Amino acid sequence: MNILLIGSGGRECAFAWKMSQSPKLDKLYIAPGNAGTGAYGENVALNPNDHVAVCQFIVDKKIDMVVVGPEEPLVKGLQDAIKANAATANIPVVGPSAKGAALEGSKEFAKDFMVRHGIPTAGYLPVTKDNLAEGEAYLEKLSAPYVLKADGLAAGKGVLILDNLAEAKSELREMLSGKFGAASATVVIEEYMSGIECSVFVLTDGKSYKILPEAKDYKRIGEQDTGLNTGGMGAVSPVPFANEEFMKKVEDRIVKPTVAGIQKDNLDYKGFVFLGLMNCGGDPKVIEYNVRMGDPETEVVLPRIDSDLVDLLYAAATGNLASAELKVSKDFCCTVVMVAGGYPGDYKKGDVITGLDKVEGSTVFHAGTKLNAEGKVATNGGRVLAVSSRGANKNEALAKSYANIANIKYDGCYFRRDIGKDLDQY
């Protein structure tokens, strides 16, 4: 089978690594990929938002399945373009239509979906410049902290949590005035949910589903969850508090009504549903939907899947997921993300990375990397590498990752040393 994988981050490196293990795979193309994905397939300079070029590539390379990693191409209608082209209409795609991708592309759409289908989530109000006064009055009714979310995609930066009412009103006005560009033309004000977060991943063909291993990621740049939000500094799977009782509630109250809602709303949806959940005293509530796998959670979820990933993805993309087999390891998997100095603010690119050849017992998934003019691996983004390890328990897995990180060097390297520590209480 020839497969085209769209994306260039740590998530896509993990997908490439896992798919390359399948005997069903003949040729893997990654568009555009990074310095790590080239070990598992062929990187190609293809712009995922150039739909004509993508369709022509599918034809030229006799692609049998397309797997879309990031959200932006889905929100911009890549799946729709492939299905609308006569030459590629029958090619299975892992990833929903633009309408289905609105579950991530529009916070307002997602909240409306949850309310209509009885899925537990926080109370909310969508606000534009036209109902600003109503939005400010809604904030006055809430207790601190105040949650403001840009409706559209804002590269993970469109969520503000504020302790001061006056500041919340000021930020609401700034967001509506273009703080996050078109993404915050509508702002969703949400009630604050108190609890501990985890992520649950579902693969669906639009009718049936498989619940993949859950994970907990760490968004803040600083240890003990301090400082600015990032794309993710590490992740742990399984999650100790996501026990059998909790996961039964997740399946019954959230997964089943979500998949049923996809069917009722006639959404063309074959791919992943990422459930960002808050554990509120043992009861799960949805913080947000994503329409793809998380990053860096993918780097701990896929290593725990013992089944053939190509088989699972093809079954989902062709509507046959019910008959597919999902085997999950009982091992723990942990990843620690190495970032560029200054991230998530300004940071340098182009620093040479050494020590990758000294890694033993861990898998290094490349995120922001490239090969420089001399063919050496160099930094090319804020999140640079994710070092993942399996172990019989969390501490064993983390110890392997940290031991290997000690051998990897580049200027300005930073990583959190407390990934998973908050889970010691469970």
Side-chain angles (χ1 to χ4, degrees):
M1 189 183 297
N2 297 330
I3 298 175
L4 172 61
L5 170 63
I6 302 289
S8 62
R11 166 183 49 226
E12 287 74 40
C13 192
F15 267 104
W17 167 82
K18 186 66 177 171
M19 288 193 289
S20 72
Q21 299 165 21
S22 171
K24 304 285 177 63
L25 181 70
D26 293 315
K27 179 76 177 181
L28 177 62
Y29 298 95
I30 309 101
N34 59 40
T37 57
Y40 311 114
E42 180 181 336
N43 291 343
V44 290
L46 187 63
N47 178 359
N49 295 320
D50 185 343
H51 296 165
V52 172
V54 172
C55 289
Q56 191 57 53
F57 185 89
I58 291 169
V59 172
D60 291 345
K61 299 297 184 181
K62 297 181 172 59
I63 298 297
D64 299 299
M65 178 169 65
V66 178
V67 179
V68 185
E71 67 277 12
E72 185 186 21
L74 295 168
V75 172
K76 290 185 173 179
L78 178 58
Q79 187 260 29
D80 307 74
I82 293 170
K83 296 300 179 186
N85 186 310
T88 58
N90 295 321
I91 301 300
V93 179
V94 177
S97 65
K99 189 176 177 186
L103 283 173
E104 179 169 0
S106 168
K107 299 288 191 298
E108 183 179 5
F109 179 91
K111 296 293 279 191
D112 181 61
F113 178 94
M114 290 180 230
V115 170
R116 281 188 293 108
H117 298 295
I119 295 161
T121 189
Y124 74 104
L125 178 74
V127 181
T128 65
K129 286 183 177 179
D130 294 335
N131 70 329
L132 175 58
E134 184 186 1
E136 292 187 336
Y138 186 69
L139 282 171
E140 290 170 4
K141 292 176 186 174
L142 299 176
S143 300
Y146 306 94
V147 181
L148 307 178
K149 294 184 176 181
D151 179 62
L153 297 179
K157 297 175 183 173
V159 178
L160 301 180
I161 300 175
L162 306 156
D163 291 321
N164 181 278
L165 178 60
E167 189 182 357
K169 288 181 177 181
S170 173
E171 286 287 358
L172 175 62
R173 288 190 288 271
E174 282 193 36
M175 289 174 77
L176 293 173
S177 297
K179 179 170 184 169
F180 298 109
S184 59
T186 297
V187 175
V188 174
I189 302 173
E190 278 194 10
E191 290 178 351
Y192 180 78
M193 290 190 289
S194 178
I196 186 166
E197 294 183 34
C198 74
S199 305
V200 171
F201 303 94
V202 179
L203 180 62
T204 183
D205 59 9
K207 308 183 298 291
S208 55
Y209 62 85
K210 302 287 184 188
I211 299 177
L212 307 180
E214 78 286 353
K216 185 181 189 303
D217 79 327
Y218 295 81
K219 284 283 190 283
R220 301 278 187 174
I221 187 68
E223 291 176 10
Q224 296 170 333
D225 285 330
T226 57
L228 296 172
N229 266 334
T230 72
M233 296 297 295
V236 174
S237 179
V239 180
F241 63 78
N243 55 25
E244 191 175 334
E245 180 187 5
F246 180 81
M247 291 303 295
K248 181 77 165 60
K249 291 177 182 177
V250 171
E251 182 169 17
D252 290 344
R253 301 178 188 179
I254 297 171
V255 176
K256 286 179 179 176
T258 294
V259 175
I262 285 169
Q263 285 183 274
K264 285 177 191 169
D265 291 359
N266 200 28
L267 301 178
D268 184 358
Y269 204 116
K270 294 177 173 65
F272 295 99
V273 184
F274 167 131
L275 305 170
L277 302 180
M278 186 70 77
N279 178 357
C280 302
D283 290 321
K285 291 187 177 183
V286 178
I287 304 167
E288 64 178 358
Y289 285 120
N290 290 162
V291 298
R292 37 72 192 184
M293 287 292 286
D295 192 347
E297 296 100 325
T298 304
E299 290 94 296
V300 296
V301 171
L302 293 189
R304 293 191 59 219
I305 294 176
D306 289 338
S307 313
D308 186 320
L309 184 62
V310 170
D311 274 346
L312 280 167
L313 295 178
Y314 192 75
T318 55
N320 297 302
L321 189 58
S323 60
E325 185 180 27
L326 172 64
K327 290 182 183 174
V328 175
S329 168
K330 287 187 166 66
D331 279 0
F332 275 71
C333 187
C334 301
T335 196
V336 180
V337 176
M338 304 174 69
V339 304
Y343 174 80
D346 294 332
Y347 56 85
K348 255 197 328 173
K349 295 182 181 180
D351 291 312
V352 172
I353 304 168
T354 62
L356 292 170
D357 57 334
K358 296 177 182 174
V359 172
E360 292 182 8
S362 299
T363 304
V364 179
F365 296 116
H366 290 236
T369 67
K370 67 174 181 180
L371 295 178
N372 66 14
E374 290 80 42
K376 294 179 178 177
V377 178
T379 64
N380 192 44
R383 290 190 296 164
V384 179
L385 303 167
V387 182
S388 296
S389 311
R390 273 173 60 160
N393 54 56
K394 173 174 65 74
N395 291 339
E396 181 183 311
L398 283 166
K400 290 180 186 177
S401 289
Y402 284 119
N404 280 305
I405 284 172
N407 293 319
I408 301 171
K409 312 287 184 189
Y410 58 87
D411 282 351
C413 169
Y414 171 78
F415 58 93
R416 278 180 57 171
R417 290 172 167 80
D418 67 337
I419 299 303
K421 288 278 192 239
D422 60 323
L423 298 175
D424 288 346
Q425 62 184 295
Y426 295 98

